[in-house]
Structures are given as C-alpha cells and as structure tokens.
Amino acid sequence: MEPFISAVARRVGEPSKGGVDEGIMARTVPQDWSNLFNACAKLEQRGVRAGGGMGIIAKVGAAALAGALQKPVQHQPKPQELANALWGLSFFKWYDANIIGVLAHALVEHVDSSTSQGISNTLWALAKFGWFDEGVVSKLAAGMVERIDSSTPQELSSTLWVLAKFEWYDEGIVSKLAAGMVEHIHSSTSQSLSNTLWALSILGWYDSGVYDALLVALLNRSDQLAPQQCSNAMYSCAVASHGGSAVDKLAQVISKQDVSKRGGWIEQALANALYAWAVLGCIGIASDSLDMMAQHLLHEVNDRGPAAFISTGMTQLYLAHLEAER
C-alpha cells in the first residue's frame, strides 16, 4: 500500500506542462479527494500504513477541497464529502487550522442536508485535530439532536465524547443525547456505553436512572468488557458520586478479570479504577465488592512496582493508598 500511496503523492506533486491547474489537480473532483482520504484512514484503522506520501496528498487535497468551495454550486463538495474528508484527514500528520475551519464552516452551512454519521464523524475529526469553534460545535451538536431517532448508539456516544473533550456543555443538548442513548441501549456496544458514562461524568451531567441503565446494559455485556471500558465506567461513577448495586456488580466483574494479562490492564486503567474506589469510599459509598476489587488491583500494582506508574497514575494511586490506610 505504501508504494501505491507514494506513487499517487508523486503524481499529485508533479505539475504538468500546463501547470498544476491543468494537471491532475484539475481533473480531480471533490468526491475523489474525499474517497481517497476516507479509504486511507480506514486502512490506518486496520493497521495498514498508508505511507509518508499522505502528507503531500493531504496538503494538496485539502487545499483543493477548500478551493472547490469557491466554484459554482454544482462543483462544490457535498456535505458527506466534506465530512469524509475531515474524518480521513484527521488520521494523518497534517494540520492547517485555516483549511479545517473553511471545511468545517462549509459543512455547518449545509448541516440540514447532512447525515448523523457525517455530523458525528466531523465532530470526532475536529476533536482529534484539537480544532474548536463554539459556533461550529454547537450547530453540529444541535444537528445530532435533530437526528437522534435515526442515529446509531456509536454516533450518539461519539458526539458526547467529543463534547466532553471540548468541555462544551449545553444541558438541553446533553440531556437529549443521553436520553437517545438509553433509547438505543439494546443495540449499544460496550465501548459506546462506557464512553457515554465517561463523557457524561466529565460534563458534570447526572441522572441516577440513566447511569444505572447504562451500567446494567454494560454488565449484560460483561463477556465483551475490555479493561479500559471497566476502568472508565468505574471512574465515571466516582466522578458522578454514583453508587448502588450496579456499581458493586461492576466491581465484581473487575475482580474476576486477569489484571496481570499482558496488554490488558494498563497502568492508567489500574490507577483510574483504584482512584474510583478511593473516591467512592471517601464519600461513603463503600462495599465488600469494592474492597475486594481494590485488593485485587493493588496486588497487581505491587507486583509491577512504582516505576511502572510514575508517568501515569501516581496521583490516583496515592489517593487510593491514603484510603487503604484509613
């Protein structure tokens, strides 16, 4: 794949005799760029390196898309093409705040004709870029709310995750997205459920019924639960000061997991779960199940030694240690 991308990059970067405007640039329409970015990003997701040539392709293609917005309407990129392009570009080592802004604002202008997937992917891409504009984010978030019934749990969860990353909060929008997740709960994956819990806790939004519903659904998928998902869910409960039988059952699930398995429970996940135990204990939400979970995790922390946690979760572990000594 890399030789192919490099070859494409050379063709993109080589002006024809008549100049770049009369060469490959002139013959490449917005859909071509969008498809190329999207395809290469999906390869990256699967671990297939698209190659260093993507830097050239991203630079030229993104500029071409921005330029196409100045052409007659029939030659301009469609909303889905803009969304796919931004999503694809976010996977590569390319960043141009001005061009990202041009593409994002153009999509917002046509948000009424955008799909839930397009809006969700755009928000995710902007978060990955670290590019924030309150007007753009608020209109895209509102667009997702209007499409809740036709959205997938992954799209709703991803939107909430982005809002949490940006620390952008609108109670009405967040409440509707959370309610939408509950409506789609039976088709949700463990990843989307844990991401939703994390996002809601970071945003400071709380409804005990929603938290319990998400936790129960997560526990119903206990055979699919990855360590990071367990850790994020437990951490979210601590941030939201949420306790109860579902939290105890989550602690029991964690206690049964092999935390010593290589590539499973990374140091940050261990630290976050122990931090959750410490915080819940401090606010009076304690139980035998939580204590057993903490003992299970602390044993692994002790085996790995402090050096493994210095750059990750020493602060959380210290709080957990103080709680353990009480």
Side-chain angles (χ1 to χ4, degrees), residues 15 39 79 99 229 251 263 298 320:
I99 290 182
Q229 295 163 8
L298 285 169

Side-chain angles (χ1 to χ4, degrees), residues 218-238:
L218 194 66
L219 290 166
N220 287 337
R221 297 157 178 76
S222 58
D223 57 329
Q224 307 169 16
L225 279 179
Q228 191 67 48
Q229 295 163 8
C230 291
S231 175
N232 284 350
M234 187 60 73
Y235 177 84
S236 303
C237 292

